[in-house]
Amino acid sequence: MDSLSDTLKKLKITAVDRTEDSLEGCLDCLLQALAQNNTETSEKIQASGILQLFASLLTPQSSCKAKVANIIAEVAKNEFMRIPCVDAGLISPLVQLLNSKDQEVLLQTGRALGNICYDSHSLQAQLINMGVIPTLVKLLGIHCQNAALTEMCLVAFGNLAELESSKEQFASTNIAEELVKLFKKQIEHDKREMIFEVLAPLAENDAIKLQLVEAGLVECLLEIVQQKVDSDKEDDITELKTGSDLMVLLLLGDESMQKLFEGGKGSVFQRVLSWIPSNNHQLQLAGALAIANFARNDGNCIHMVDNGIVEKLMDLLDRHVEDGNVTVQHAALSALRNLAIPAEAAEQLGKNVKLVERLVEWCEAKDHAGVMGESNRLLSALIRHSKSKDVIKTIVQSGGIKHLVTMATSEHVIMQNEALVALALIAALELGTAEKDLESAKLVQILHRLLADERSAPEIKYNSMVLICALMGSESLHKEVQDLAFLDVVSKLRSHENKSVAQQASLTEQRLTVES
């Protein structure tokens, strides 16, 4: 290793003299030493102070800039060398070299920057501020025939795209177009995976989602799905999952989703519909999640409900009832819940006896808490969004009331609240029809418990009192309220720190006093 010390001494002298031949020779020796023992050689390079000289060898005029960048890339594989590289002021001259026309210089410069900034968000943010994103996107376009350079750009994008601050810069370039162009050319699984790894974080940005849709990514993804759907090769199964997941991600943007829905006539929407009856769990899941995303717009919901989407989702649920895939069930129920948001659609769903009977069955799926929860939430949503007497009658006749009452005791405040609001609507619109079921589900006792419990959230207390007032219209339930001495509990709530709760407590107290 003494020869290494000699090389480093010689390099110090020649770096100042700029004797080109000796300089090249010294750099070759260093690269050889790094290839044999990277860690030990890196330690010696650090101790020698030679890093400080490297900045001056990275100028565009320097004939050995590619080799110097290569050495920096090699030493920066070691974590302990990264900060010394930054302290030696190497980042700025390296960034300048990204404007070079020489492909070898570009490759080694990219590697060096990538290794120095590996795993450091602050250094990556510094690169973003120095404007490397537009430069790298341009490079990808110019050198798309050079596999090594393409790969370098993809690795860099993958690292930088994780940072929120990068998304705006990416959105102002033509990255979507370049990535889709590259993706279409790739046949190898590994290369496609690399592109997927860049696409996924980028597709979280709404502007880039739309750019990717416009650049034709969706068509590529649909093609992958078609090619891989029947394969049992592990790579193909992975690609099918990644492709269909990414497709669902693109639908999370409002503009990109509407563009693909095309008033329900879109070929993409039609293709997604065909995933639901397929035999592939991954596609069924992606199909249900996609429908849930399309259902974020009222017009879309009404169109889909009118065109029989409910039956498709119910068939999917039926296929998974016995020993099925709980994730798929969950997604299908979420899709139905989104579809039930606009009042016209909620009414149609809520009057669908077969659907309501099924939901009531699934409300008892104790082994699958997620499915049980989603079914309860959907029952409640049908009432809350339709505010329809017919829907309430259908739910009462199908035995749904007891599940809504149980849902009011859920450990999740959101679910408790949804149940209480639905029950208040039932009491206001169809108390006579639901009276017996509310009684046998012991609703009044549960409300007493919720009001007496100090841990109940303010909105739970508020809605419980609204419900109590609504139940007074039924003789038998009114009697239960009187027997349980609600006045004591309610009068305590008049001094509640939450204004709405305190006001509702006063109103409820008056109502109870007048009617006692």
Side-chain angles (χ1 to χ4, degrees), residues 82-122:
R82 290 173 193 156
I83 297 301
C85 284
V86 176
D87 294 343
L90 300 180
I91 285 190
S92 193
L94 284 167
V95 169
Q96 292 305 310
L97 285 182
L98 288 175
N99 297 305
S100 168
K101 303 254 184 305
D102 182 318
Q103 298 192 10
E104 181 60 19
V105 171
L106 288 170
L107 180 63
Q108 300 306 342
T109 302
R111 285 184 61 233
L113 283 169
N115 289 351
I116 293 172
C117 301
Y118 179 75
D119 235 11
S120 161
H121 281 174
S122 59

mmCIF file of all heavy atoms in Angstrom, residues 82-122:
data_model
loop_
_atom_site.group_PDB
_atom_site.id
_atom_site.type_symbol
_atom_site.label_atom_id
_atom_site.label_comp_id
_atom_site.label_asym_id
_atom_site.label_seq_id
_atom_site.Cartn_x
_atom_site.Cartn_y
_atom_site.Cartn_z
ATOM 1 N N ARG A 82 -18.892 10.886 2.612
ATOM 2 C CA ARG A 82 -19.859 11.786 1.933
ATOM 3 C C ARG A 82 -19.732 13.227 2.407
ATOM 4 O O ARG A 82 -19.672 14.149 1.604
ATOM 5 C CB ARG A 82 -21.282 11.259 2.109
ATOM 6 C CG ARG A 82 -21.486 9.981 1.305
ATOM 7 C CD ARG A 82 -22.785 9.275 1.531
ATOM 8 N NE ARG A 82 -22.709 7.929 0.936
ATOM 9 C CZ ARG A 82 -23.439 6.900 1.318
ATOM 10 N NH1 ARG A 82 -24.319 7.046 2.287
ATOM 11 N NH2 ARG A 82 -23.306 5.734 0.725
ATOM 12 N N ILE A 83 -19.677 13.406 3.735
ATOM 13 C CA ILE A 83 -19.563 14.781 4.260
ATOM 14 C C ILE A 83 -18.218 15.404 3.840
ATOM 15 O O ILE A 83 -18.188 16.561 3.398
ATOM 16 C CB ILE A 83 -19.753 14.804 5.802
ATOM 17 C CG1 ILE A 83 -21.180 14.334 6.158
ATOM 18 C CG2 ILE A 83 -19.507 16.199 6.370
ATOM 19 C CD1 ILE A 83 -22.317 15.147 5.551
ATOM 20 N N PRO A 84 -17.085 14.654 3.932
ATOM 21 C CA PRO A 84 -15.822 15.234 3.437
ATOM 22 C C PRO A 84 -15.906 15.680 1.975
ATOM 23 O O PRO A 84 -15.348 16.713 1.609
ATOM 24 C CB PRO A 84 -14.821 14.076 3.593
ATOM 25 C CG PRO A 84 -15.361 13.273 4.725
ATOM 26 C CD PRO A 84 -16.857 13.380 4.648
ATOM 27 N N CYS A 85 -16.648 14.943 1.140
ATOM 28 C CA CYS A 85 -16.808 15.358 -0.269
ATOM 29 C C CYS A 85 -17.566 16.684 -0.353
ATOM 30 O O CYS A 85 -17.252 17.552 -1.163
ATOM 31 C CB CYS A 85 -17.570 14.301 -1.070
ATOM 32 S SG CYS A 85 -16.582 12.852 -1.477
ATOM 33 N N VAL A 86 -18.584 16.823 0.514
ATOM 34 C CA VAL A 86 -19.360 18.073 0.529
ATOM 35 C C VAL A 86 -18.464 19.210 1.022
ATOM 36 O O VAL A 86 -18.411 20.294 0.428
ATOM 37 C CB VAL A 86 -20.599 17.944 1.460
ATOM 38 C CG1 VAL A 86 -21.348 19.269 1.553
ATOM 39 C CG2 VAL A 86 -21.526 16.848 0.956
ATOM 40 N N ASP A 87 -17.723 18.928 2.133
ATOM 41 C CA ASP A 87 -16.852 19.959 2.709
ATOM 42 C C ASP A 87 -15.760 20.389 1.743
ATOM 43 O O ASP A 87 -15.267 21.514 1.794
ATOM 44 C CB ASP A 87 -16.211 19.451 4.019
ATOM 45 C CG ASP A 87 -17.269 19.237 5.111
ATOM 46 O OD1 ASP A 87 -18.385 19.784 4.937
ATOM 47 O OD2 ASP A 87 -16.995 18.537 6.100
ATOM 48 N N ALA A 88 -15.371 19.484 0.855
ATOM 49 C CA ALA A 88 -14.314 19.812 -0.119
ATOM 50 C C ALA A 88 -14.883 20.630 -1.279
ATOM 51 O O ALA A 88 -14.173 20.944 -2.232
ATOM 52 C CB ALA A 88 -13.669 18.522 -0.640
ATOM 53 N N GLY A 89 -16.177 20.946 -1.206
ATOM 54 C CA GLY A 89 -16.792 21.811 -2.230
ATOM 55 C C GLY A 89 -16.958 21.137 -3.573
ATOM 56 O O GLY A 89 -16.825 21.775 -4.631
ATOM 57 N N LEU A 90 -17.241 19.821 -3.574
ATOM 58 C CA LEU A 90 -17.307 19.094 -4.852
ATOM 59 C C LEU A 90 -18.687 19.148 -5.515
ATOM 60 O O LEU A 90 -18.813 18.901 -6.714
ATOM 61 C CB LEU A 90 -16.907 17.620 -4.632
ATOM 62 C CG LEU A 90 -15.495 17.403 -4.077
ATOM 63 C CD1 LEU A 90 -15.210 15.919 -3.893
ATOM 64 C CD2 LEU A 90 -14.441 18.025 -4.995
ATOM 65 N N ILE A 91 -19.732 19.470 -4.736
ATOM 66 C CA ILE A 91 -21.081 19.391 -5.316
ATOM 67 C C ILE A 91 -21.276 20.392 -6.455
ATOM 68 O O ILE A 91 -21.735 20.049 -7.540
ATOM 69 C CB ILE A 91 -22.161 19.556 -4.214
ATOM 70 C CG1 ILE A 91 -22.229 18.258 -3.405
ATOM 71 C CG2 ILE A 91 -23.533 19.852 -4.822
ATOM 72 C CD1 ILE A 91 -23.374 18.131 -2.444
ATOM 73 N N SER A 92 -20.878 21.633 -6.211
ATOM 74 C CA SER A 92 -21.128 22.670 -7.217
ATOM 75 C C SER A 92 -20.431 22.386 -8.560
ATOM 76 O O SER A 92 -21.078 22.411 -9.612
ATOM 77 C CB SER A 92 -20.705 24.013 -6.640
ATOM 78 O OG SER A 92 -21.210 25.016 -7.458
ATOM 79 N N PRO A 93 -19.099 22.067 -8.558
ATOM 80 C CA PRO A 93 -18.475 21.762 -9.862
ATOM 81 C C PRO A 93 -19.073 20.518 -10.529
ATOM 82 O O PRO A 93 -19.167 20.461 -11.758
ATOM 83 C CB PRO A 93 -16.998 21.553 -9.523
ATOM 84 C CG PRO A 93 -16.904 21.439 -8.051
ATOM 85 C CD PRO A 93 -18.096 22.113 -7.474
ATOM 86 N N LEU A 94 -19.506 19.537 -9.724
ATOM 87 C CA LEU A 94 -20.130 18.344 -10.323
ATOM 88 C C LEU A 94 -21.445 18.724 -11.014
ATOM 89 O O LEU A 94 -21.730 18.290 -12.121
ATOM 90 C CB LEU A 94 -20.380 17.268 -9.251
ATOM 91 C CG LEU A 94 -19.156 16.475 -8.782
ATOM 92 C CD1 LEU A 94 -19.484 15.674 -7.516
ATOM 93 C CD2 LEU A 94 -18.638 15.524 -9.872
ATOM 94 N N VAL A 95 -22.251 19.547 -10.333
ATOM 95 C CA VAL A 95 -23.529 19.964 -10.928
ATOM 96 C C VAL A 95 -23.271 20.687 -12.261
ATOM 97 O O VAL A 95 -23.986 20.482 -13.240
ATOM 98 C CB VAL A 95 -24.333 20.858 -9.948
ATOM 99 C CG1 VAL A 95 -25.517 21.515 -10.644
ATOM 100 C CG2 VAL A 95 -24.841 20.021 -8.775
ATOM 101 N N GLN A 96 -22.202 21.530 -12.295
ATOM 102 C CA GLN A 96 -21.862 22.233 -13.549
ATOM 103 C C GLN A 96 -21.586 21.247 -14.689
ATOM 104 O O GLN A 96 -21.942 21.482 -15.837
ATOM 105 C CB GLN A 96 -20.615 23.119 -13.353
ATOM 106 C CG GLN A 96 -20.822 24.314 -12.439
ATOM 107 C CD GLN A 96 -21.983 25.186 -12.906
ATOM 108 O OE1 GLN A 96 -22.057 25.565 -14.068
ATOM 109 N NE2 GLN A 96 -22.906 25.474 -11.999
ATOM 110 N N LEU A 97 -20.949 20.117 -14.319
ATOM 111 C CA LEU A 97 -20.564 19.142 -15.354
ATOM 112 C C LEU A 97 -21.752 18.401 -15.966
ATOM 113 O O LEU A 97 -21.616 17.725 -16.981
ATOM 114 C CB LEU A 97 -19.574 18.110 -14.779
ATOM 115 C CG LEU A 97 -18.137 18.601 -14.564
ATOM 116 C CD1 LEU A 97 -17.272 17.471 -14.031
ATOM 117 C CD2 LEU A 97 -17.526 19.150 -15.855
ATOM 118 N N LEU A 98 -22.928 18.532 -15.339
ATOM 119 C CA LEU A 98 -24.108 17.878 -15.926
ATOM 120 C C LEU A 98 -24.505 18.548 -17.246
ATOM 121 O O LEU A 98 -25.368 18.064 -17.967
ATOM 122 C CB LEU A 98 -25.292 17.916 -14.955
ATOM 123 C CG LEU A 98 -25.187 16.998 -13.731
ATOM 124 C CD1 LEU A 98 -26.369 17.228 -12.794
ATOM 125 C CD2 LEU A 98 -25.148 15.518 -14.144
ATOM 126 N N ASN A 99 -23.858 19.686 -17.545
ATOM 127 C CA ASN A 99 -24.140 20.340 -18.833
ATOM 128 C C ASN A 99 -23.178 19.876 -19.932
ATOM 129 O O ASN A 99 -23.231 20.381 -21.045
ATOM 130 C CB ASN A 99 -24.043 21.862 -18.678
ATOM 131 C CG ASN A 99 -25.095 22.376 -17.703
ATOM 132 O OD1 ASN A 99 -26.277 22.111 -17.880
ATOM 133 N ND2 ASN A 99 -24.675 23.076 -16.654
ATOM 134 N N SER A 100 -22.327 18.906 -19.585
ATOM 135 C CA SER A 100 -21.339 18.418 -20.561
ATOM 136 C C SER A 100 -22.036 17.657 -21.686
ATOM 137 O O SER A 100 -23.155 17.176 -21.536
ATOM 138 C CB SER A 100 -20.364 17.492 -19.835
ATOM 139 O OG SER A 100 -19.578 16.796 -20.762
ATOM 140 N N LYS A 101 -21.326 17.554 -22.836
ATOM 141 C CA LYS A 101 -21.880 16.756 -23.948
ATOM 142 C C LYS A 101 -21.310 15.335 -23.920
ATOM 143 O O LYS A 101 -21.786 14.445 -24.612
ATOM 144 C CB LYS A 101 -21.518 17.406 -25.300
ATOM 145 C CG LYS A 101 -21.986 18.846 -25.454
ATOM 146 C CD LYS A 101 -23.184 18.912 -26.391
ATOM 147 C CE LYS A 101 -23.656 20.314 -26.690
ATOM 148 N NZ LYS A 101 -23.975 21.141 -25.530
ATOM 149 N N ASP A 102 -20.238 15.162 -23.131
ATOM 150 C CA ASP A 102 -19.520 13.885 -23.100
ATOM 151 C C ASP A 102 -20.283 12.866 -22.239
ATOM 152 O O ASP A 102 -20.500 13.084 -21.051
ATOM 153 C CB ASP A 102 -18.126 14.143 -22.510
ATOM 154 C CG ASP A 102 -17.262 12.887 -22.485
ATOM 155 O OD1 ASP A 102 -17.792 11.811 -22.136
ATOM 156 O OD2 ASP A 102 -16.062 12.986 -22.807
ATOM 157 N N GLN A 103 -20.650 11.741 -22.839
ATOM 158 C CA GLN A 103 -21.505 10.778 -22.126
ATOM 159 C C GLN A 103 -20.799 10.140 -20.924
ATOM 160 O O GLN A 103 -21.421 9.870 -19.905
ATOM 161 C CB GLN A 103 -22.007 9.705 -23.098
ATOM 162 C CG GLN A 103 -22.866 10.311 -24.189
ATOM 163 C CD GLN A 103 -23.630 9.286 -25.016
ATOM 164 O OE1 GLN A 103 -23.680 8.113 -24.683
ATOM 165 N NE2 GLN A 103 -24.228 9.732 -26.102
ATOM 166 N N GLU A 104 -19.475 9.904 -21.054
ATOM 167 C CA GLU A 104 -18.741 9.303 -19.930
ATOM 168 C C GLU A 104 -18.676 10.283 -18.754
ATOM 169 O O GLU A 104 -18.890 9.916 -17.596
ATOM 170 C CB GLU A 104 -17.319 8.922 -20.396
ATOM 171 C CG GLU A 104 -16.450 8.259 -19.323
ATOM 172 C CD GLU A 104 -17.028 6.945 -18.767
ATOM 173 O OE1 GLU A 104 -17.903 6.327 -19.411
ATOM 174 O OE2 GLU A 104 -16.590 6.537 -17.682
ATOM 175 N N VAL A 105 -18.440 11.563 -19.070
ATOM 176 C CA VAL A 105 -18.411 12.597 -18.018
ATOM 177 C C VAL A 105 -19.777 12.647 -17.322
ATOM 178 O O VAL A 105 -19.874 12.672 -16.090
ATOM 179 C CB VAL A 105 -18.065 13.983 -18.617
ATOM 180 C CG1 VAL A 105 -18.256 15.085 -17.573
ATOM 181 C CG2 VAL A 105 -16.630 13.993 -19.132
ATOM 182 N N LEU A 106 -20.837 12.638 -18.119
ATOM 183 C CA LEU A 106 -22.188 12.698 -17.551
ATOM 184 C C LEU A 106 -22.459 11.508 -16.636
ATOM 185 O O LEU A 106 -23.012 11.656 -15.539
ATOM 186 C CB LEU A 106 -23.235 12.707 -18.680
ATOM 187 C CG LEU A 106 -23.324 14.004 -19.487
ATOM 188 C CD1 LEU A 106 -24.211 13.803 -20.709
ATOM 189 C CD2 LEU A 106 -23.885 15.137 -18.626
ATOM 190 N N LEU A 107 -22.060 10.335 -17.092
ATOM 191 C CA LEU A 107 -22.326 9.116 -16.325
ATOM 192 C C LEU A 107 -21.615 9.171 -14.974
ATOM 193 O O LEU A 107 -22.228 8.934 -13.920
ATOM 194 C CB LEU A 107 -21.881 7.882 -17.120
ATOM 195 C CG LEU A 107 -22.098 6.545 -16.417
ATOM 196 C CD1 LEU A 107 -23.586 6.312 -16.182
ATOM 197 C CD2 LEU A 107 -21.521 5.402 -17.234
ATOM 198 N N GLN A 108 -20.305 9.480 -15.003
ATOM 199 C CA GLN A 108 -19.530 9.472 -13.748
ATOM 200 C C GLN A 108 -19.972 10.624 -12.825
ATOM 201 O O GLN A 108 -20.027 10.468 -11.610
ATOM 202 C CB GLN A 108 -18.022 9.567 -14.043
ATOM 203 C CG GLN A 108 -17.467 8.423 -14.885
ATOM 204 C CD GLN A 108 -17.780 7.052 -14.300
ATOM 205 O OE1 GLN A 108 -18.119 6.908 -13.117
ATOM 206 N NE2 GLN A 108 -17.692 6.010 -15.128
ATOM 207 N N THR A 109 -20.331 11.756 -13.421
ATOM 208 C CA THR A 109 -20.799 12.898 -12.616
ATOM 209 C C THR A 109 -22.105 12.536 -11.908
ATOM 210 O O THR A 109 -22.275 12.797 -10.709
ATOM 211 C CB THR A 109 -21.028 14.124 -13.528
ATOM 212 O OG1 THR A 109 -19.802 14.419 -14.186
ATOM 213 C CG2 THR A 109 -21.469 15.325 -12.729
ATOM 214 N N GLY A 110 -23.004 11.926 -12.662
ATOM 215 C CA GLY A 110 -24.292 11.507 -12.080
ATOM 216 C C GLY A 110 -24.097 10.522 -10.949
ATOM 217 O O GLY A 110 -24.724 10.628 -9.888
ATOM 218 N N ARG A 111 -23.183 9.558 -11.175
ATOM 219 C CA ARG A 111 -22.899 8.559 -10.121
ATOM 220 C C ARG A 111 -22.342 9.254 -8.878
ATOM 221 O O ARG A 111 -22.733 8.951 -7.750
ATOM 222 C CB ARG A 111 -21.879 7.533 -10.610
ATOM 223 C CG ARG A 111 -22.416 6.503 -11.582
ATOM 224 C CD ARG A 111 -21.336 5.472 -11.936
ATOM 225 N NE ARG A 111 -20.875 4.748 -10.764
ATOM 226 C CZ ARG A 111 -19.594 4.627 -10.401
ATOM 227 N NH1 ARG A 111 -18.629 5.163 -11.130
ATOM 228 N NH2 ARG A 111 -19.263 3.950 -9.313
ATOM 229 N N ALA A 112 -21.398 10.192 -9.110
ATOM 230 C CA ALA A 112 -20.751 10.871 -7.977
ATOM 231 C C ALA A 112 -21.786 11.643 -7.155
ATOM 232 O O ALA A 112 -21.845 11.523 -5.928
ATOM 233 C CB ALA A 112 -19.663 11.812 -8.500
ATOM 234 N N LEU A 113 -22.629 12.408 -7.842
ATOM 235 C CA LEU A 113 -23.642 13.192 -7.115
ATOM 236 C C LEU A 113 -24.619 12.266 -6.389
ATOM 237 O O LEU A 113 -24.993 12.498 -5.247
ATOM 238 C CB LEU A 113 -24.417 14.087 -8.096
ATOM 239 C CG LEU A 113 -23.679 15.343 -8.559
ATOM 240 C CD1 LEU A 113 -24.417 16.006 -9.715
ATOM 241 C CD2 LEU A 113 -23.511 16.341 -7.408
ATOM 242 N N GLY A 114 -25.005 11.200 -7.080
ATOM 243 C CA GLY A 114 -25.950 10.244 -6.492
ATOM 244 C C GLY A 114 -25.395 9.624 -5.222
ATOM 245 O O GLY A 114 -26.090 9.521 -4.201
ATOM 246 N N ASN A 115 -24.110 9.229 -5.267
ATOM 247 C CA ASN A 115 -23.517 8.572 -4.092
ATOM 248 C C ASN A 115 -23.276 9.552 -2.942
ATOM 249 O O ASN A 115 -23.493 9.215 -1.783
ATOM 250 C CB ASN A 115 -22.207 7.869 -4.480
ATOM 251 C CG ASN A 115 -22.465 6.642 -5.339
ATOM 252 O OD1 ASN A 115 -23.616 6.225 -5.494
ATOM 253 N ND2 ASN A 115 -21.432 6.064 -5.931
ATOM 254 N N ILE A 116 -22.855 10.784 -3.283
ATOM 255 C CA ILE A 116 -22.621 11.762 -2.204
ATOM 256 C C ILE A 116 -23.942 12.070 -1.491
ATOM 257 O O ILE A 116 -24.005 12.182 -0.267
ATOM 258 C CB ILE A 116 -22.030 13.091 -2.764
ATOM 259 C CG1 ILE A 116 -20.615 12.856 -3.312
ATOM 260 C CG2 ILE A 116 -21.996 14.172 -1.678
ATOM 261 C CD1 ILE A 116 -20.027 14.059 -4.048
ATOM 262 N N CYS A 117 -25.019 12.208 -2.264
ATOM 263 C CA CYS A 117 -26.297 12.651 -1.672
ATOM 264 C C CYS A 117 -27.191 11.481 -1.269
ATOM 265 O O CYS A 117 -28.321 11.691 -0.835
ATOM 266 C CB CYS A 117 -27.060 13.521 -2.665
ATOM 267 S SG CYS A 117 -26.113 14.965 -3.133
ATOM 268 N N TYR A 118 -26.667 10.262 -1.395
ATOM 269 C CA TYR A 118 -27.481 9.087 -1.090
ATOM 270 C C TYR A 118 -28.006 9.172 0.337
ATOM 271 O O TYR A 118 -27.255 9.436 1.275
ATOM 272 C CB TYR A 118 -26.642 7.811 -1.272
ATOM 273 C CG TYR A 118 -27.410 6.557 -0.960
ATOM 274 C CD1 TYR A 118 -28.354 6.075 -1.852
ATOM 275 C CD2 TYR A 118 -27.206 5.861 0.234
ATOM 276 C CE1 TYR A 118 -29.079 4.929 -1.571
ATOM 277 C CE2 TYR A 118 -27.918 4.720 0.531
ATOM 278 C CZ TYR A 118 -28.856 4.254 -0.382
ATOM 279 O OH TYR A 118 -29.583 3.127 -0.096
ATOM 280 N N ASP A 119 -29.321 9.000 0.504
ATOM 281 C CA ASP A 119 -29.909 8.928 1.843
ATOM 282 C C ASP A 119 -29.874 10.234 2.623
ATOM 283 O O ASP A 119 -30.125 10.237 3.816
ATOM 284 C CB ASP A 119 -29.165 7.850 2.672
ATOM 285 C CG ASP A 119 -30.167 6.850 3.209
ATOM 286 O OD1 ASP A 119 -31.320 6.894 2.756
ATOM 287 O OD2 ASP A 119 -29.822 6.040 4.084
ATOM 288 N N SER A 120 -29.519 11.351 1.947
ATOM 289 C CA SER A 120 -29.517 12.625 2.689
ATOM 290 C C SER A 120 -30.528 13.571 2.054
ATOM 291 O O SER A 120 -30.311 14.090 0.966
ATOM 292 C CB SER A 120 -28.132 13.271 2.644
ATOM 293 O OG SER A 120 -28.251 14.644 2.955
ATOM 294 N N HIS A 121 -31.644 13.768 2.770
ATOM 295 C CA HIS A 121 -32.680 14.632 2.210
ATOM 296 C C HIS A 121 -32.200 16.069 2.061
ATOM 297 O O HIS A 121 -32.564 16.758 1.114
ATOM 298 C CB HIS A 121 -33.933 14.583 3.088
ATOM 299 C CG HIS A 121 -34.728 13.343 2.831
ATOM 300 N ND1 HIS A 121 -35.827 12.973 3.560
ATOM 301 C CD2 HIS A 121 -34.593 12.370 1.894
ATOM 302 C CE1 HIS A 121 -36.312 11.826 3.094
ATOM 303 N NE2 HIS A 121 -35.587 11.445 2.093
ATOM 304 N N SER A 122 -31.337 16.511 3.013
ATOM 305 C CA SER A 122 -30.906 17.913 2.933
ATOM 306 C C SER A 122 -30.009 18.131 1.717
ATOM 307 O O SER A 122 -30.111 19.146 1.028
ATOM 308 C CB SER A 122 -30.200 18.334 4.216
ATOM 309 O OG SER A 122 -29.080 17.513 4.428
#
